[in-house]
Amino acid sequence: MARHVETAFVLGGGGVLGAYEVGMLRALDEAGIRPDLVVGTSVGALNGAVIAAGPGEAVARLTGLWQSDVVRTAFAGSWVARLSTLARTGTHLHPIGPLRGVLARTVRVSLIEELEVPFQCVAASVERAAAHWFTGGPLVEAVLASCAVPGLLPPVVIGGEHFYDGGLVHSIPIGRAVLMGARRVFVLHVGRVERPLAPPRRFWEVGMVAFEIARRHRFAEDLATLPPGVEVHVLPTGVTEPLSPLRYRDVSQIAASMERAYKASSRYLRDRAG
């Protein structure tokens, strides 16, 4: 029999900015809000898998993970090493092995079906140019596929099909949670939708701005087409400064990011979702 879904946690992508989601989760946990469904994309798939594996211990586990050296492991290596990888492969800067190791040590569950809370994550299929939702099967490979940022990592091959980062097709997949029956959705994200977007002034900003337009457009459309009776709470990070496209490995502000999101989301939940 299908499990009833009332409350869903939807976790968006954003690399090391995923630390904000841990602060939001802490605020939700202290408010006594637990999910019946967890939906994630990219780093939100990693955080979401840990939540789904054990909501009661997820805050402690994710806080420990994000404050450890493990986070640095996934994208380790000097510029020389990264350029060497690019020269050898022609497509990406980092090998997939370190991130696979981080995921295997972190999620500690073999199959999606074994998770305590129903969980789904999304990746982008290269061959079909379409979103693919992982709802069962090997958990690590599914999350790895959802996290495979183009240019940084190679695509993940599953069943002969190549998959890239889920953020290409669903950056904050609230529509999926609603489709699965959720009536109350809490969005845990990395702050991009809160931050002002301006025309690019430098060459390396062009791609980021173009990608942001696409991801924000999809998110805005999902919000605008919600069916009656669905309640959506987009938790705040408490941050508004512009994004940097070049600091995907910067872990120096992780603790501050978690604390800032925790305080902002706690205020929000007290005032708006109590």
Side-chain angles (χ1 to χ4, degrees):
M1 183 167 56
R3 181 168 174 171
H4 174 70
V5 176
E6 176 65 28
T7 299
F9 287 1
V10 172
L11 294 93
V16 296
L17 296 175
Y20 286 115
E21 297 175 352
V22 183
M24 295 171 181
L25 178 65
R26 179 183 165 198
L28 287 164
D29 188 67
E30 290 184 1
I33 300 171
R34 296 282 177 88
D36 304 306
L37 170 71
V38 179
V39 178
T41 188
S42 196
V43 74
L46 189 159
N47 287 339
V50 175
I51 296 170
E57 60 182 21
V59 172
R61 287 194 61 204
L62 283 172
T63 299
L65 170 69
W66 280 92
Q67 291 183 331
S68 72
D69 288 334
V70 172
V71 174
R72 296 177 176 84
T73 302
F75 295 110
S78 65
W79 267 111
V80 172
R82 282 176 272 170
L83 291 175
S84 175
T85 300
L86 178 60
R88 185 175 66 256
T89 66
T91 59
H92 54 275
L93 292 171
H94 299 278
I96 201 75
L99 181 56
R100 179 178 274 111
V102 168
L103 290 172
R105 293 192 298 273
T106 299
V107 296
R108 295 188 294 185
V109 172
S110 296
L111 300 174
I112 292 175
E113 296 90 335
E114 296 172 348
L115 293 166
E116 184 177 326
V117 176
F119 168 78
Q120 299 185 8
C121 66
V122 65
S125 165
V126 173
E127 285 81 0
R128 291 182 289 115
H132 178 86
W133 285 95
F134 292 93
T135 61
L139 177 60
V140 168
E141 291 305 300
V143 174
L144 196 65
S146 190
C147 291
V149 181
L152 298 185
L153 295 167
V156 174
V157 183
I158 300 175
E161 193 169 1
H162 296 74
F163 294 99
Y164 270 128
D165 192 289
L168 294 171
V169 285
H170 289 284
S171 62
I172 303 178
I174 58 174
R176 183 69 176 187
V178 173
L179 181 65
M180 300 306 297
R183 308 303 293 171
R184 186 173 66 154
V185 178
F186 290 91
V187 175
L188 292 74
H189 61 105
V190 303
R192 283 191 170 109
V193 293
E194 294 176 322
R195 304 179 191 218
L197 191 62
R201 294 179 297 170
R202 302 173 182 85
F203 176 75
W204 57 83
E205 294 176 343
V206 174
M208 186 195 75
V209 170
F211 184 52
E212 281 301 305
I213 292 171
R215 63 185 289 141
R216 296 184 192 201
H217 171 72
R218 180 63 182 266
F219 179 58
E221 277 199 339
D222 281 351
L223 286 175
T225 57
L226 289 172
V230 174
E231 176 185 331
V232 174
H233 297 279
V234 181
L235 299 178
T237 61
V239 180
T240 57
E241 70 263 17
L243 288 167
S244 168
L246 301 178
R247 301 180 67 184
Y248 68 93
R249 302 195 313 155
D250 183 4
V251 296
S252 62
Q253 298 299 312
I254 280 178
S257 297
M258 288 191 291
E259 185 66 17
R260 192 178 294 116
Y262 163 68
K263 290 180 177 177
S265 294
S266 293
R267 287 192 297 269
Y268 174 91
L269 292 171
R270 185 175 59 247
D271 298 338
R272 299 278 299 279

